Amino acid sequence: MNAKQPAWLADAIFYQIYPQSFYDANGDGIGDFQGIIEKLDYVKDLGCNALWLNPCFASPFGDAGYDISDYYTTAERYGTNDDLKRLFDETHRRGMHILLDLVPGHTSIEHKWFRESMKAEKNEYTHRYIWTDSIWEEPEGMGCIRGFSDRDGSCAVNFFSHQPALNYGFYKPDKPWQQSTDDEGPRATLEELKNIMRFWLKIGCDGFRVDMAGSLVKHDEDGKGTIKLWQNVRAFLDAEFPSAAMVSEWGEPDKSLQGGFHMDFLLHFGPSHYNDLFRCEEPYFSARGKGDISEFVAKYIENYEKAGRRGLICIPSGNHDMDRLSRLLHGTELKLAFAFLLSMPGAPFLYYGDEIGMRYVSGLTSVEGGYGRTGSRTPMQWDDTANAGFSRAPEEKLYIRTDAEPDRPTVKSQIADSNSLYHEVKRLIAIRRSHKALQNMGEIEFVYARKNTYPFAYLRSAEDEHILVVLNPSGEEVSFRYKYTPKEAIYTLGGEISREQGMLVVPPQSAGYYAVNP
Ligand code: NOJ
Ligand code: CA
């Protein structure tokens, strides 16, 4: 079941905001809704027209808010529900859209549902989570919390051991304590999930990024049970909120889009080969020129064919779970990475700060369950004032300390430098937004993507517009055979391609978008 795309997704370019670290308006050392409101014009000016906000709900913050204790109330540190509504309104006033983060797979152990479910007496929440019926039996392959409930049983966890798994049932239950997806407990969990979505959509959010969307039904190897569950959600959305957008953290677009999601992420885990691009020993976008794009492309084509034309495969620049894009790439390499990210189909997702090349900060003590991810979650660097302009709080009160390097990039310094990454990203976004062929629904055909070889070329098309994208991240001049002669250049970086004896010659460390008439 493919969902009908909300019209605004056709040219949506998302900007991901980790609310803790974006902008602290009230000076307590942590980002907040008011801070985001004050920086909306910055995001809009960059050219992004949509936001994804990491979880901003009540939580003990053992996993940066992915451990929710109340889905219906914002975390005080960011502001009230009314403040969040103001953020929705301010976003909309600027012609932009905003997605919240939906965490359907688990809660915090502090959630009242979990406290109730730990009780020995049966109650409304007894089956809200996955419990075995004896403390001595552990739910196989899932990890569990045990030994602190009156209830005799072990509770399955979904991620960290303080994140008990909500019960959506088992695909094929084979133990007495395993419920089927049609049992009352799992059905009630699903209805509650819809209530949560309804609550925030009514207040004015435009949809959700869904955490671990493929994990809900257990022992569901092919994802069939989980796909069916999301189809049920799709029917609800079609009936009540047809223009809400849904993007899954699943990493298997064929499954996710069948479940009625509009978009799925390619991720740094799973089968996508996403890491071959930017995050491996020899990334394709490194000037060393020792990378390989071919497996990424093979997998992409497989997904693209299976996913059909209507769903979007989204390639993020980064996110709060992976190393910063700039950990292994620098200078022109980063610009070339964006020339790729902003010319692929699917909705682009820019992680806050990637547009200025914010660095991965090594050596930080874990904050709120971030561990190695903490270095990708440091405060946004706005200017050259204290705390890089993120907060007026004393340095020791900051949620995570800022990058301490004297040459850390800032928005201010990058805006002042016409040759900066910021300006390149802005230029690329503007070009994408003015050419349908480059946008989210435009088609792609890979022209040149050979094993251990540069360049990398593909054709983007929509209606009768065709644009050839040629990327050569390597430091060497390279060439390839292409039967059509590119016409004018729409975008170039590092020089234009030239035609020599039937070959297209591509300058070192260059990117170009060219109109063609195939
Ligand atoms: C994926 C989220 O992106 C990550 O930050 C979180 O820790 C896990 N899911 C658990 O919710
Ligand atoms: Ca604050």
Side-chain angles (χ1 to χ4, degrees):
M1 174 159 87
N2 265 326
K4 195 169 172 291
Q5 294 282 342
W8 64 270
L9 283 186
D11 77 334
I13 301 182
F14 286 88
Y15 190 87
Q16 180 192 343
I17 293 181
Y18 184 75
Q20 289 91 320
S21 296
F22 199 53
Y23 184 59
D24 172 21
N26 68 353
D28 63 354
I30 189 159
D32 41 51
F33 296 138
Q34 179 57 29
I36 300 172
I37 292 173
E38 289 177 27
K39 296 297 185 184
L40 281 176
D41 288 333
Y42 165 77
V43 178
K44 183 178 161 94
D45 193 54
L46 178 64
C48 293
N49 52 12
L51 304 174
W52 154 32
L53 219 62
N54 286 104
C56 53
F57 312 104
S59 164
F61 293 99
D63 184 14
Y66 283 96
D67 47 334
I68 293 173
S69 55
D70 177 359
Y71 287 91
Y72 296 97
T73 311
T74 58
E76 236 176 82
R77 66 194 202 177
Y78 303 129
T80 61
N81 283 15
D82 284 343
D83 295 327
L84 181 54
K85 178 176 185 330
R86 244 178 350 102
L87 170 57
F88 297 160
D89 295 343
E90 289 292 329
T91 305
H92 296 152
R93 209 161 61 75
R94 289 166 175 80
M96 299 162 73
H97 292 87
I98 178 165
L99 305 185
L100 294 180
D101 209 314
L102 183 70
V103 187
H106 48 269
T107 67
S108 153
I109 40 176
E110 291 186 15
H111 198 293
K112 69 168 193 268
W113 302 339
F114 188 65
R115 291 180 196 278
E116 288 297 310
S117 89
M118 284 202 294
K119 292 185 177 163
E121 317 76 61
K122 228 174 163 208
N123 62 57
E124 197 185 335
Y125 302 102
T126 298
H127 296 302
R128 176 71 31 115
Y129 298 85
I130 301 171
W131 287 86
T132 65
D133 46 24
S134 152
I135 185 77
W136 309 119
E137 180 169 6
E138 296 180 32
E140 209 178 300
M142 284 189 265
C144 67
I145 326 183
R146 53 205 279 266
F148 66 106
S149 60
D150 290 342
R151 176 177 185 164
D152 186 5
S154 310
C155 183
V157 298
N158 216 34
F159 195 68
F160 288 150
S161 47
H162 55 73
Q163 288 161 315
L166 284 162
N167 183 19
Y168 295 92
F170 283 71
Y171 188 55
K172 284 192 179 135
D174 59 9
K175 298 257 164 53
W177 53 267
Q178 295 179 357
Q179 300 200 315
S180 104
T181 52
D182 297 325
D183 280 338
E184 210 178 305
R187 284 213 327 264
T189 312
L190 181 55
E191 287 314 306
E192 189 59 30
L193 180 67
K194 292 184 205 164
N195 284 338
I196 295 164
M197 296 173 76
R198 193 179 275 121
F199 180 82
W200 290 110
L201 287 165
K202 274 195 178 151
I203 293 180
C205 82
D206 298 294
F208 301 93
R209 174 269 188 188
V210 179
D211 188 67
M212 297 174 68
S215 76
L216 303 191
V217 174
K218 302 304 181 191
H219 291 182
D220 183 25
E221 267 74 71
D222 303 326
K224 292 208 176 93
T226 304
I227 290 171
K228 197 167 158 218
L229 181 153
W230 285 114
Q231 288 175 342
N232 181 316
V233 174
R234 167 59 32 221
F236 144 70
L237 288 173
D238 283 347
E240 295 182 36
F241 302 97
S243 57
M246 296 288 286
V247 55
S248 48
E249 185 202 31
W250 196 322
E252 292 179 89
D254 55 322
K255 293 182 184 162
S256 144
L257 302 179
Q258 265 186 67
F261 281 92
H262 305 106
M263 312 176 256
D264 189 26
F265 283 118
L266 288 193
L267 293 161
H268 56 299
F269 56 85
S272 71
H273 284 274
Y274 172 79
N275 288 342
D276 299 3
L277 304 168
F278 320 120
R279 293 174 179 82
C280 63
E281 210 175 304
E282 290 293 352
Y284 190 75
F285 281 88
S286 154
R288 281 192 300 273
K290 293 193 175 138
D292 181 26
I293 196 85
S294 64
E295 291 185 280
F296 168 81
V297 170
K299 194 69 205 175
Y300 187 92
I301 292 174
E302 192 187 314
N303 278 326
Y304 190 71
E305 283 170 0
K306 277 200 259 171
R309 291 278 151 82
R310 286 201 290 161
L312 302 179
I313 300 173
C314 300
I315 313 177
S317 70
N319 66 30
H320 59 292
D321 292 332
M322 53 176 132
D323 284 0
R324 282 275 181 190
L325 189 62
S326 68
R327 187 155 196 193
L328 294 174
L329 304 181
H330 310 281
T332 304
E333 294 170 336
L334 285 171
K335 293 181 178 175
L336 294 171
F338 277 104
F340 162 74
L341 288 164
L342 290 165
S343 62
M344 284 293 284
F349 277 74
L350 274 68
Y351 184 50
Y352 82 96
D354 278 353
E355 74 280 19
I356 57 167
M358 259 175 67
R359 300 182 185 133
Y360 177 84
V361 180
S362 312
L364 296 178
T365 304
S366 177
V367 174
E368 296 188 344
Y371 302 96
R373 306 175 295 182
T374 307
S376 298
R377 300 175 175 185
T378 57
M380 180 69 176
Q381 291 150 204
W382 294 103
D383 58 33
D384 49 11
T385 62
N387 302 325
F390 159 70
S391 168
R392 56 178 192 275
E395 205 184 324
E396 63 281 4
K397 285 195 76 184
L398 296 191
Y399 169 74
I400 299 176
R401 78 161 168 77
T402 46
D403 180 352
E405 293 300 318
D407 66 344
R408 66 186 174 201
T410 65
V411 167
K412 188 175 171 214
S413 63
Q414 295 244 325
I415 288 181
D417 172 7
S418 61
N419 200 23
S420 67
L421 179 61
Y422 167 86
H423 283 293
E424 203 67 31
V425 172
K426 187 169 171 174
R427 182 153 80 105
L428 284 161
I429 291 177
I431 291 170
R432 181 180 179 100
R433 291 189 65 185
S434 58
H435 290 275
K436 242 187 149 171
L438 293 172
Q439 289 171 13
N440 305 359
M441 318 283 274
E443 291 181 22
I444 185 165
E445 186 189 318
F446 291 95
V447 166
Y448 193 82
R450 305 236 170 118
K451 187 147 191 67
N452 298 321
T453 302
Y454 292 73
F456 172 35
Y458 44 92
L459 187 68
R460 298 294 318 279
S461 305
E463 289 149 22
D464 49 12
E465 185 183 40
H466 304 277
I467 297 176
L468 177 72
V469 176
V470 184
L471 303 167
N472 177 22
S474 85
E476 305 288 326
E477 179 182 283
V478 288
S479 60
F480 71 113
R481 194 168 290 283
Y482 187 56
K483 51 189 171 186
Y484 306 107
T485 301
K487 299 187 298 177
E488 83 275 15
I490 295 164
Y491 165 80
T492 63
L493 170 69
E496 268 194 49
I497 52 174
S498 55
R499 187 171 263 294
E500 279 169 33
Q501 294 156 356
M503 303 286 277
L504 291 182
V505 180
V506 192
Q509 285 219 283
S510 71
Y513 304 168
Y514 304 90
V516 282
N517 260 344

